[in-house]
Amino acid sequence: MHTPSQPAVTPRETPGGRELDTTCPQLPQLPSDAAPRIAEPVAERRPTSRTVHGVDLADDYAWLRDADYPEVTDTAVLDHLKAENAWFEAAMTPHRPLVDALFEEMKARIKEDDASVPATDGAYVYWRAFETGGQYRKWWRRPVAGGPDELILDEPALAKDHEYFRLGALTVSEDGRWLAYATDTDGSERFTARIRDLLTGEDLADTIPETMGALVWSDDARVLLYGRVNAQWRIDTIKAHRVGSDAANDTVIYHEDDIGFQCGVGQTHSRKWIAVATGDNTTSELRLLPANDPFAAPILIRARNAGVEYDVEEHDGTLFIVTNDTDTNFRLVTASIDTPGEWTERIAPRRDFYLTDVSCFADFFVVEGRENGLDQVEVHQYAGGSARIPFPEASYSAGLDENPEYAVERLRLSYESMVTPSRVLERELATGAEAVLKELEIPSGYDASRYATTRLTIPARDGTPIPVSVVYARGFPMDGSRPLYLYGYGAYGIAIPPGFSTGRLSLIDRGFAFAIAHIRGGDDLGQQWQLDGKLEKRWNAFNDFVDVAKGLIELGWTSAGKICAAGGSAGGELMGVAINEAPELFGAVAAHVPFVDVLNTMLDDTLPLTPGEWPEWGNPIEDKAAFELIRGYSPYDNVKAQDYPPMLVTAGLNDPRVTYWEPAKWVAKLRELKTGKNALLMKINMGAGHGGKSGRFEHIRETAEEFAFFLWQMGLA
């Protein structure tokens, strides 16, 4: 399904992170044991208790959740969070020269005046660009027929008066007249949509609050469809806004009553149809509206069936549907728009190929998927026949890039590996000729020949081989003497691709190897890989990560106590379980916006996302077995008196995905029970949400802080 450029709306996180980089100057030696001069913050214990399924649940730190959330005004709560930030700053003060040095070298790897490859869409060519020193992009276009460049959106101007800024959806009407865009200025992911007249450059009075996800225009550019967020931060309604009208009078196109489902709106690549989708993490249902009549009766493709997912494209009245109705590797079926529920198999499910997407163009369609965990792109003719696009390396990440037009003779692709900087490729379909339109430029220099990457398999305790992607400097000694950065996620069927990051070089050039554990719970090896790491099989994901750490030690990549582990959101949950189970393996841990108070969150159906996540974690309210399972691994509920590794924990006060009190409570309990004197730091962004601070350089500085923490703990600062 073709959708305008927008941030992905995923359950608790879109992992991936911060793209950073530069060369490695000599750094001053800093004291590794410099102690803060202020008192370590100790949260007050206020015992509370409740009984669930006959089990007494004690929670001494429940008070850290402000009763007025999402407003946080409780003085005691705010004072404690400020004390945590003061402790973090005091502890990091001796290492600020290292943070600054890392930041500068990472920044030096970024082309400051970088721009995207221009893409033709109708009568205009569009692109976006940073200016030197700019934290945010400017969005441009120029007529295909010739004419001056036109600035259509200036993010720096929109962001200048805000501590936080994020551009959400952005889309231009088919006639090129109207620009619809949405912004978030506090990290709460409740966007405000506006409409700009591109003839005058002025915004209309139209203001649409509380939106999230895509914005989609009708054919005649008079109607804008969008998703409205409710009080529980769930898109339960799709509305239609008439240009020039009061948003309070917008028409409801679809409303979802199931509190576990969330809605979205998109567009087929042909732009003939507007798609209204609803679903949870395991089930989907989709309706189509004609783009030339968005108020028409919607066409239901197929009614929801628990556990069945599908997505839809369209070509000349034929629907192309990717679905898992018969197989977890998905298949491609077709149907007439007149009888959308009557499906005919076009591509059968394949044991070795995980089908993830289909995109329909005027003269061909493209199938994307993964084979043995590696991305594949296949071009299919409507009359029959197909060809797979080859990629040169043994481990890489690839897929379709921006291809906004429907009738094309060339395809744009994205490609990168852990040693190859990202590229935009253009492939001539008739001849197979391929050109590099853009390669990530690293101003401070990058020599790929200095680095190597490999893909390992390490057996988990149940014998399942777990893929591991590793990048390192050539000549890396396999004697266990070096530190290793180990990243993991393992949830929601989100695969972690073996892509390129300039930021990693700052650790690799200081002797680290960098590894990604492709553990169960993600869909790196297909949907079954996801199913084998969720619900009653959730322990597989945690065990996989610990077993990968042990396997890397056995292979000589590192040794116990020299692994710096990191993960965010559900990956932060992974960090919490790993340090409860095997703290001795890790020399330091970074848990970013960690989902660690799992039991309490899943027991509270008033919280954002909780009902929609029961298919991922289980419903402990109704299911005692799910309750016991979650209680057995929930990091907050399983903190115990033991020697935990040094830890850096981050949080966002306005985070709607992982509420701020989860990491705050966890850190408080760790301080209470942990033995030893290892550092425990928490940094809470008081004006940001799930993704941390906004602006490309602010992201880099936060990564520099994490890396400095790891180097400090490894004795390399």
Side-chain angles (χ1 to χ4, degrees):
M1 183 169 68
H2 174 73
T3 56
S5 175
Q6 59 171 321
V9 179
T10 54
R12 284 198 184 276
E13 166 179 33
T14 347
R18 304 172 165 107
E19 188 64 20
L20 337 151
D21 272 32
T22 73
T23 50
C24 217
Q26 286 294 103
L27 297 171
Q29 293 298 308
L30 300 172
S32 61
D33 58 350
R37 296 179 180 177
I38 64 173
E40 185 173 13
V42 177
E44 179 186 353
R45 293 180 60 190
R46 300 182 187 176
T48 62
S49 181
R50 59 175 169 159
T51 301
V52 182
H53 296 297
V55 177
D56 196 31
L57 297 179
D59 190 350
D60 293 348
Y61 301 107
W63 66 271
L64 286 168
R65 173 182 176 174
D66 193 311
D68 293 328
Y69 180 83
E71 296 294 324
V72 184
T73 57
D74 186 304
T75 303
V77 171
L78 289 172
D79 285 348
H80 178 72
L81 299 179
K82 292 173 183 177
E84 287 285 6
N85 278 344
W87 179 253
F88 169 81
E89 291 298 336
M92 292 299 293
T93 293
H95 310 288
R96 281 297 164 191
L98 175 57
V99 173
D100 293 342
L102 289 165
F103 172 78
E104 291 300 330
E105 68 182 64
M106 291 174 180
K107 185 179 177 183
R109 296 191 191 108
I110 292 178
K111 180 176 170 55
E112 291 204 32
D113 57 348
D114 198 17
S116 66
V117 180
T120 301
D121 189 358
Y124 294 90
V125 176
Y126 293 87
W127 72 98
R128 53 202 177 272
F130 286 103
E131 294 181 346
T132 299
Q135 293 266 29
Y136 303 96
R137 297 177 178 88
K138 293 185 176 182
W139 297 71
W140 298 85
R141 74 176 184 181
R142 63 172 174 266
V144 172
D149 294 349
E150 178 184 351
L151 177 62
I152 61 173
L153 193 75
D154 186 339
E155 285 189 53
L158 294 173
K160 67 177 181 179
D161 295 325
H162 302 286
E163 179 182 351
Y164 178 94
F165 176 83
R166 179 182 173 190
L167 178 68
L170 178 147
T171 183
V172 177
S173 61
E174 197 70 18
D175 62 2
R177 170 71 183 275
W178 307 107
L179 169 71
Y181 69 97
T183 59
D184 168 21
T185 56
D186 64 8
S188 66
E189 299 186 52
R190 294 176 180 269
F191 293 82
T192 298
R194 294 177 174 84
I195 297 172
R196 177 165 296 181
D197 185 345
L198 292 179
L199 292 182
T200 66
E202 299 296 324
D203 285 354
L204 303 184
D206 307 40
T207 300
I208 310 172
E210 304 287 303
T211 72
M212 192 167 68
L215 304 170
V216 178
W217 286 105
S218 63
D219 262 1
D220 61 8
R222 294 180 180 179
V223 178
L224 181 71
L225 277 74
Y226 64 93
R228 182 67 182 264
V229 181
N230 65 14
Q232 284 72 44
W233 192 73
R234 182 174 64 92
I235 306 173
D236 62 357
T237 304
I238 302 300
K239 289 190 170 186
H241 174 79
R242 293 171 176 84
V243 175
S245 68
D246 187 339
N249 300 322
D250 288 352
T251 302
V252 173
I253 297 296
Y254 178 79
H255 177 77
E256 178 57 59
D257 292 321
D258 189 324
I259 64 170
F261 275 42
Q262 191 158 197
C263 305
V265 62
Q267 202 173 25
T268 61
H269 201 181
S270 67
R271 302 187 188 174
K272 294 179 180 178
W273 298 93
I274 296 170
V276 175
T278 184
D280 61 13
N281 292 333
T282 62
T283 303
S284 54
E285 182 178 84
L286 194 142
R287 293 165 174 81
L288 293 179
L289 302 168
N292 61 8
D293 186 9
F295 298 103
I299 300 171
L300 175 64
I301 305 304
R302 182 173 282 190
R304 65 192 68 178
N305 184 8
V308 175
E309 300 174 66
Y310 67 89
D311 202 359
V312 177
E313 260 280 27
E314 182 271 343
H315 172 72
D316 287 351
T318 297
L319 304 178
F320 285 70
I321 303 166
V322 174
T323 181
N324 67 343
D325 63 337
T326 65
D327 195 281
T328 56
N329 267 0
F330 288 72
R331 63 177 182 145
L332 181 66
V333 299
T334 59
S336 167
I337 191 68
D338 298 320
T339 54
E342 298 177 12
W343 295 356
T344 300
E345 188 168 89
R346 175 68 188 252
I347 299 178
R350 290 175 271 179
R351 183 178 180 182
D352 60 346
F353 184 80
Y354 175 44
L355 175 59
T356 59
D357 198 16
V358 64
S359 300
C360 288
F361 294 83
D363 300 318
F364 58 90
F365 65 93
V366 176
V367 164
E368 295 181 84
R370 286 195 286 277
E371 189 171 276
N372 297 321
L374 294 175
D375 294 329
Q376 306 295 337
V377 179
E378 297 176 348
V379 179
H380 290 252
Q381 303 304 315
Y382 289 111
S386 66
R388 180 173 288 187
I389 295 175
F391 297 110
E393 295 176 276
S395 179
Y396 59 87
S397 175
L400 288 182
D401 199 66
E402 289 184 89
N403 293 277
E405 295 205 302
Y406 187 55
V408 295
E409 296 177 350
R410 301 177 183 87
L411 269 185
R412 286 193 181 176
L413 304 163
S414 62
Y415 179 86
E416 61 187 289
S417 76
M418 294 186 84
V419 296
T420 301
S422 60
R423 295 171 178 170
V424 177
L425 311 173
E426 188 168 73
R427 187 176 183 85
E428 178 77 47
L429 295 176
T431 64
E434 201 167 81
V436 177
L437 300 183
K438 177 183 172 65
E439 179 170 302
L440 178 68
E441 184 179 337
I442 303 173
S444 60
Y446 173 70
D447 181 0
S449 67
R450 293 180 53 207
Y451 306 95
T453 184
T454 188
R455 194 169 175 90
L456 314 170
T457 56
I458 291 176
R461 64 195 66 182
D462 65 358
T464 302
I466 310 301
V468 184
S469 299
V470 188
V471 61
Y472 54 97
R474 293 189 182 277
F476 186 89
M478 300 292 291
D479 58 4
S481 63
R482 295 290 184 87
L484 178 139
Y485 185 115
L486 181 60
Y487 178 82
Y489 187 70
Y492 301 114
I494 295 173
I496 307 300
F500 187 78
S501 167
T502 55
R504 296 173 190 156
L505 300 177
S506 291
L507 289 183
I508 293 171
D509 288 347
R510 289 171 171 82
F512 278 71
F514 187 104
I516 300 170
H518 302 283
I519 60 178
R520 285 173 283 188
D523 70 347
D524 305 64
L525 298 185
Q527 192 179 48
Q528 191 60 51
W529 198 249
Q530 173 192 3
L531 297 176
D532 287 343
K534 63 183 287 188
L535 294 173
E536 70 279 359
K537 298 181 180 180
R538 183 61 183 150
W539 270 103
N540 284 341
F542 307 136
N543 292 339
D544 289 354
F545 189 79
V546 170
D547 294 344
V548 163
K550 292 178 178 178
L552 290 168
I553 292 169
E554 291 173 4
L555 292 171
W557 286 98
T558 189
S559 57
K562 292 187 177 181
I563 296 176
C564 294
S569 200
E573 174 197 282
L574 176 68
M575 297 300 106
V577 177
I579 62 171
N580 280 338
E581 295 297 305
E584 72 283 355
L585 297 178
F586 306 103
V589 171
H592 297 293
V593 290
F595 178 38
V596 285
D597 194 12
V598 186
L599 184 59
N600 284 317
T601 294
M602 289 296 102
L603 284 169
D604 189 346
D605 60 8
T606 69
L607 285 175
L609 299 170
T610 289
E613 299 206 348
W614 287 330
E616 179 75 18
W617 312 107
N619 183 346
I621 298 173
E622 298 180 355
D623 184 348
K624 185 175 182 180
F627 170 84
E628 293 293 354
L629 176 66
I630 296 171
R631 189 165 73 102
Y633 67 72
S634 177
Y636 177 66
D637 296 280
N638 288 278
V639 174
K640 52 195 169 188
Q642 64 177 354
D643 194 6
Y644 284 96
M647 295 182 61
L648 170 62
V649 181
T650 65
L653 189 67
N654 300 326
D655 188 348
R657 297 175 186 261
V658 176
T659 48
Y660 75 88
W661 60 81
E662 292 205 28
K665 288 170 58 179
W666 184 47
V667 168
K669 194 170 184 179
L670 282 165
R671 281 224 175 85
E672 174 195 348
L673 294 178
K674 77 181 184 73
T675 59
K677 296 182 179 180
N678 285 332
L680 175 56
L681 307 181
M682 178 172 139
K683 177 184 179 181
I684 181 162
N685 284 309
M686 303 299 282
H690 199 64
K693 291 184 177 180
S694 61
R696 56 176 174 164
F697 300 135
E698 291 302 318
H699 275 307
I700 294 172
R701 186 165 292 281
E702 291 191 331
T703 302
E705 288 176 338
E706 177 196 308
F707 286 7
F709 179 77
F710 283 165
L711 290 165
W712 165 26
Q713 299 306 324
M714 292 294 100
L716 299 175

mmCIF file of all heavy atoms in Angstrom, residues 436-464:
data_model
loop_
_atom_site.group_PDB
_atom_site.id
_atom_site.type_symbol
_atom_site.label_atom_id
_atom_site.label_comp_id
_atom_site.label_asym_id
_atom_site.label_seq_id
_atom_site.Cartn_x
_atom_site.Cartn_y
_atom_site.Cartn_z
ATOM 1 N N VAL A 436 24.496 4.239 -9.675
ATOM 2 C CA VAL A 436 24.444 4.744 -8.310
ATOM 3 C C VAL A 436 24.100 6.232 -8.382
ATOM 4 O O VAL A 436 24.891 7.041 -8.861
ATOM 5 C CB VAL A 436 25.783 4.542 -7.578
ATOM 6 C CG1 VAL A 436 25.719 5.137 -6.174
ATOM 7 C CG2 VAL A 436 26.134 3.064 -7.509
ATOM 8 N N LEU A 437 22.911 6.593 -7.907
ATOM 9 C CA LEU A 437 22.492 7.993 -7.923
ATOM 10 C C LEU A 437 23.064 8.759 -6.739
ATOM 11 O O LEU A 437 23.292 9.967 -6.836
ATOM 12 C CB LEU A 437 20.969 8.088 -7.900
ATOM 13 C CG LEU A 437 20.208 7.426 -9.057
ATOM 14 C CD1 LEU A 437 18.723 7.687 -8.912
ATOM 15 C CD2 LEU A 437 20.720 7.931 -10.402
ATOM 16 N N LYS A 438 23.276 8.067 -5.638
ATOM 17 C CA LYS A 438 23.791 8.736 -4.444
ATOM 18 C C LYS A 438 24.390 7.694 -3.517
ATOM 19 O O LYS A 438 23.821 6.613 -3.355
ATOM 20 C CB LYS A 438 22.664 9.486 -3.722
ATOM 21 C CG LYS A 438 23.068 10.163 -2.407
ATOM 22 C CD LYS A 438 21.859 10.824 -1.745
ATOM 23 C CE LYS A 438 22.164 11.345 -0.353
ATOM 24 N NZ LYS A 438 23.147 12.435 -0.341
ATOM 25 N N GLU A 439 25.538 8.005 -2.953
ATOM 26 C CA GLU A 439 26.109 7.206 -1.882
ATOM 27 C C GLU A 439 26.352 8.121 -0.692
ATOM 28 O O GLU A 439 26.757 9.276 -0.861
ATOM 29 C CB GLU A 439 27.422 6.544 -2.303
ATOM 30 C CG GLU A 439 28.053 5.718 -1.184
ATOM 31 C CD GLU A 439 29.214 4.860 -1.651
ATOM 32 O OE1 GLU A 439 29.000 4.035 -2.550
ATOM 33 O OE2 GLU A 439 30.323 5.029 -1.112
ATOM 34 N N LEU A 440 26.055 7.608 0.489
ATOM 35 C CA LEU A 440 26.264 8.391 1.700
ATOM 36 C C LEU A 440 27.677 8.943 1.712
ATOM 37 O O LEU A 440 28.658 8.209 1.660
ATOM 38 C CB LEU A 440 26.035 7.513 2.930
ATOM 39 C CG LEU A 440 26.268 8.180 4.281
ATOM 40 C CD1 LEU A 440 25.219 9.249 4.535
ATOM 41 C CD2 LEU A 440 26.257 7.140 5.395
ATOM 42 N N GLU A 441 27.783 10.253 1.757
ATOM 43 C CA GLU A 441 29.080 10.913 1.764
ATOM 44 C C GLU A 441 29.540 11.120 3.196
ATOM 45 O O GLU A 441 28.781 11.595 4.042
ATOM 46 C CB GLU A 441 28.977 12.261 1.041
ATOM 47 C CG GLU A 441 30.292 12.987 0.900
ATOM 48 C CD GLU A 441 30.167 14.297 0.154
ATOM 49 O OE1 GLU A 441 29.194 14.454 -0.616
ATOM 50 O OE2 GLU A 441 31.036 15.176 0.341
ATOM 51 N N ILE A 442 30.780 10.750 3.468
ATOM 52 C CA ILE A 442 31.356 10.878 4.805
ATOM 53 C C ILE A 442 32.512 11.864 4.704
ATOM 54 O O ILE A 442 33.623 11.509 4.302
ATOM 55 C CB ILE A 442 31.820 9.505 5.331
ATOM 56 C CG1 ILE A 442 30.636 8.522 5.319
ATOM 57 C CG2 ILE A 442 32.409 9.635 6.732
ATOM 58 C CD1 ILE A 442 31.015 7.100 5.663
ATOM 59 N N PRO A 443 32.259 13.140 5.015
ATOM 60 C CA PRO A 443 33.261 14.188 4.758
ATOM 61 C C PRO A 443 34.618 13.931 5.400
ATOM 62 O O PRO A 443 35.657 14.276 4.824
ATOM 63 C CB PRO A 443 32.603 15.453 5.335
ATOM 64 C CG PRO A 443 31.138 15.172 5.264
ATOM 65 C CD PRO A 443 31.004 13.702 5.541
ATOM 66 N N SER A 444 34.636 13.344 6.585
ATOM 67 C CA SER A 444 35.918 13.128 7.255
ATOM 68 C C SER A 444 36.674 11.932 6.706
ATOM 69 O O SER A 444 37.806 11.685 7.099
ATOM 70 C CB SER A 444 35.694 12.942 8.755
ATOM 71 O OG SER A 444 34.869 11.821 8.996
ATOM 72 N N GLY A 445 36.028 11.197 5.814
ATOM 73 C CA GLY A 445 36.700 10.081 5.168
ATOM 74 C C GLY A 445 36.276 8.736 5.698
ATOM 75 O O GLY A 445 35.975 8.591 6.885
ATOM 76 N N TYR A 446 36.233 7.761 4.799
ATOM 77 C CA TYR A 446 35.886 6.390 5.188
ATOM 78 C C TYR A 446 36.532 5.438 4.204
ATOM 79 O O TYR A 446 36.380 5.577 2.985
ATOM 80 C CB TYR A 446 34.369 6.195 5.186
ATOM 81 C CG TYR A 446 33.950 4.755 5.418
ATOM 82 C CD1 TYR A 446 34.123 4.163 6.666
ATOM 83 C CD2 TYR A 446 33.400 3.994 4.389
ATOM 84 C CE1 TYR A 446 33.755 2.848 6.883
ATOM 85 C CE2 TYR A 446 33.017 2.683 4.599
ATOM 86 C CZ TYR A 446 33.200 2.110 5.841
ATOM 87 O OH TYR A 446 32.836 0.801 6.058
ATOM 88 N N ASP A 447 37.260 4.473 4.725
ATOM 89 C CA ASP A 447 37.930 3.459 3.915
ATOM 90 C C ASP A 447 37.322 2.109 4.253
ATOM 91 O O ASP A 447 37.636 1.507 5.289
ATOM 92 C CB ASP A 447 39.433 3.472 4.204
ATOM 93 C CG ASP A 447 40.200 2.447 3.377
ATOM 94 O OD1 ASP A 447 39.571 1.718 2.583
ATOM 95 O OD2 ASP A 447 41.432 2.362 3.547
ATOM 96 N N ALA A 448 36.428 1.631 3.395
ATOM 97 C CA ALA A 448 35.720 0.382 3.669
ATOM 98 C C ALA A 448 36.662 -0.803 3.787
ATOM 99 O O ALA A 448 36.344 -1.795 4.469
ATOM 100 C CB ALA A 448 34.689 0.118 2.569
ATOM 101 N N SER A 449 37.830 -0.722 3.161
ATOM 102 C CA SER A 449 38.758 -1.851 3.195
ATOM 103 C C SER A 449 39.327 -2.093 4.592
ATOM 104 O O SER A 449 39.897 -3.149 4.853
ATOM 105 C CB SER A 449 39.897 -1.629 2.197
ATOM 106 O OG SER A 449 40.723 -0.543 2.608
ATOM 107 N N ARG A 450 39.173 -1.127 5.485
ATOM 108 C CA ARG A 450 39.685 -1.284 6.856
ATOM 109 C C ARG A 450 38.753 -2.129 7.714
ATOM 110 O O ARG A 450 39.111 -2.506 8.838
ATOM 111 C CB ARG A 450 39.858 0.086 7.507
ATOM 112 C CG ARG A 450 40.933 0.965 6.898
ATOM 113 C CD ARG A 450 40.995 2.301 7.637
ATOM 114 N NE ARG A 450 41.134 2.100 9.073
ATOM 115 C CZ ARG A 450 40.703 2.963 9.986
ATOM 116 N NH1 ARG A 450 40.078 4.070 9.607
ATOM 117 N NH2 ARG A 450 40.881 2.718 11.279
ATOM 118 N N TYR A 451 37.544 -2.420 7.211
ATOM 119 C CA TYR A 451 36.532 -3.080 8.021
ATOM 120 C C TYR A 451 36.044 -4.346 7.329
ATOM 121 O O TYR A 451 36.143 -4.502 6.113
ATOM 122 C CB TYR A 451 35.356 -2.123 8.271
ATOM 123 C CG TYR A 451 35.796 -0.816 8.859
ATOM 124 C CD1 TYR A 451 36.046 0.291 8.039
ATOM 125 C CD2 TYR A 451 35.995 -0.667 10.230
ATOM 126 C CE1 TYR A 451 36.473 1.502 8.563
ATOM 127 C CE2 TYR A 451 36.422 0.546 10.772
ATOM 128 C CZ TYR A 451 36.666 1.618 9.933
ATOM 129 O OH TYR A 451 37.088 2.803 10.459
ATOM 130 N N ALA A 452 35.495 -5.228 8.144
ATOM 131 C CA ALA A 452 34.956 -6.482 7.609
ATOM 132 C C ALA A 452 33.664 -6.814 8.345
ATOM 133 O O ALA A 452 33.443 -6.362 9.481
ATOM 134 C CB ALA A 452 35.966 -7.619 7.781
ATOM 135 N N THR A 453 32.825 -7.589 7.694
ATOM 136 C CA THR A 453 31.578 -8.019 8.320
ATOM 137 C C THR A 453 31.385 -9.503 8.083
ATOM 138 O O THR A 453 31.855 -10.057 7.083
ATOM 139 C CB THR A 453 30.378 -7.218 7.769
ATOM 140 O OG1 THR A 453 29.186 -7.596 8.465
ATOM 141 C CG2 THR A 453 30.175 -7.460 6.286
ATOM 142 N N THR A 454 30.734 -10.133 9.026
ATOM 143 C CA THR A 454 30.447 -11.557 8.897
ATOM 144 C C THR A 454 29.078 -11.840 9.487
ATOM 145 O O THR A 454 28.557 -11.054 10.285
ATOM 146 C CB THR A 454 31.522 -12.401 9.608
ATOM 147 O OG1 THR A 454 31.324 -13.781 9.307
ATOM 148 C CG2 THR A 454 31.465 -12.216 11.123
ATOM 149 N N ARG A 455 28.494 -12.937 9.059
ATOM 150 C CA ARG A 455 27.203 -13.367 9.594
ATOM 151 C C ARG A 455 27.403 -14.754 10.198
ATOM 152 O O ARG A 455 27.733 -15.709 9.497
ATOM 153 C CB ARG A 455 26.145 -13.403 8.497
ATOM 154 C CG ARG A 455 24.711 -13.520 9.027
ATOM 155 C CD ARG A 455 23.737 -13.281 7.883
ATOM 156 N NE ARG A 455 22.352 -13.479 8.230
ATOM 157 C CZ ARG A 455 21.539 -12.531 8.691
ATOM 158 N NH1 ARG A 455 22.006 -11.306 8.887
ATOM 159 N NH2 ARG A 455 20.276 -12.784 8.949
ATOM 160 N N LEU A 456 27.216 -14.829 11.504
ATOM 161 C CA LEU A 456 27.413 -16.066 12.251
ATOM 162 C C LEU A 456 26.068 -16.694 12.563
ATOM 163 O O LEU A 456 25.021 -16.057 12.484
ATOM 164 C CB LEU A 456 28.126 -15.776 13.574
ATOM 165 C CG LEU A 456 29.348 -14.867 13.581
ATOM 166 C CD1 LEU A 456 29.724 -14.523 15.016
ATOM 167 C CD2 LEU A 456 30.501 -15.543 12.869
ATOM 168 N N THR A 457 26.095 -17.953 12.950
ATOM 169 C CA THR A 457 24.948 -18.561 13.620
ATOM 170 C C THR A 457 25.457 -19.168 14.919
ATOM 171 O O THR A 457 26.474 -19.862 14.941
ATOM 172 C CB THR A 457 24.263 -19.642 12.767
ATOM 173 O OG1 THR A 457 25.217 -20.632 12.390
ATOM 174 C CG2 THR A 457 23.631 -19.037 11.526
ATOM 175 N N ILE A 458 24.737 -18.847 15.986
ATOM 176 C CA ILE A 458 25.102 -19.335 17.312
ATOM 177 C C ILE A 458 23.915 -20.110 17.864
ATOM 178 O O ILE A 458 22.792 -19.599 17.863
ATOM 179 C CB ILE A 458 25.472 -18.167 18.243
ATOM 180 C CG1 ILE A 458 26.797 -17.540 17.779
ATOM 181 C CG2 ILE A 458 25.580 -18.628 19.695
ATOM 182 C CD1 ILE A 458 27.206 -16.307 18.561
ATOM 183 N N PRO A 459 24.100 -21.345 18.301
ATOM 184 C CA PRO A 459 22.958 -22.129 18.774
ATOM 185 C C PRO A 459 22.428 -21.622 20.110
ATOM 186 O O PRO A 459 23.190 -21.354 21.039
ATOM 187 C CB PRO A 459 23.531 -23.542 18.909
ATOM 188 C CG PRO A 459 25.002 -23.340 19.098
ATOM 189 C CD PRO A 459 25.351 -22.111 18.318
ATOM 190 N N ALA A 460 21.102 -21.487 20.175
ATOM 191 C CA ALA A 460 20.449 -21.207 21.455
ATOM 192 C C ALA A 460 20.403 -22.496 22.265
ATOM 193 O O ALA A 460 20.698 -23.584 21.768
ATOM 194 C CB ALA A 460 19.047 -20.668 21.212
ATOM 195 N N ARG A 461 19.983 -22.381 23.505
ATOM 196 C CA ARG A 461 19.987 -23.551 24.394
ATOM 197 C C ARG A 461 19.051 -24.648 23.932
ATOM 198 O O ARG A 461 19.231 -25.809 24.308
ATOM 199 C CB ARG A 461 19.670 -23.110 25.816
ATOM 200 C CG ARG A 461 18.290 -22.513 26.035
ATOM 201 C CD ARG A 461 18.204 -21.788 27.359
ATOM 202 N NE ARG A 461 19.074 -20.607 27.377
ATOM 203 C CZ ARG A 461 19.221 -19.811 28.428
ATOM 204 N NH1 ARG A 461 18.553 -20.051 29.543
ATOM 205 N NH2 ARG A 461 20.025 -18.767 28.372
ATOM 206 N N ASP A 462 18.045 -24.310 23.092
ATOM 207 C CA ASP A 462 17.155 -25.349 22.562
ATOM 208 C C ASP A 462 17.631 -25.865 21.209
ATOM 209 O O ASP A 462 16.921 -26.624 20.546
ATOM 210 C CB ASP A 462 15.720 -24.829 22.462
ATOM 211 C CG ASP A 462 15.556 -23.697 21.458
ATOM 212 O OD1 ASP A 462 16.562 -23.270 20.845
ATOM 213 O OD2 ASP A 462 14.407 -23.217 21.281
ATOM 214 N N GLY A 463 18.837 -25.443 20.790
ATOM 215 C CA GLY A 463 19.420 -25.920 19.546
ATOM 216 C C GLY A 463 19.131 -25.061 18.335
ATOM 217 O O GLY A 463 19.710 -25.281 17.268
ATOM 218 N N THR A 464 18.250 -24.074 18.448
ATOM 219 C CA THR A 464 17.911 -23.216 17.316
ATOM 220 C C THR A 464 19.088 -22.318 16.956
ATOM 221 O O THR A 464 19.617 -21.613 17.817
ATOM 222 C CB THR A 464 16.693 -22.342 17.650
ATOM 223 O OG1 THR A 464 15.596 -23.183 17.988
ATOM 224 C CG2 THR A 464 16.312 -21.459 16.476
#
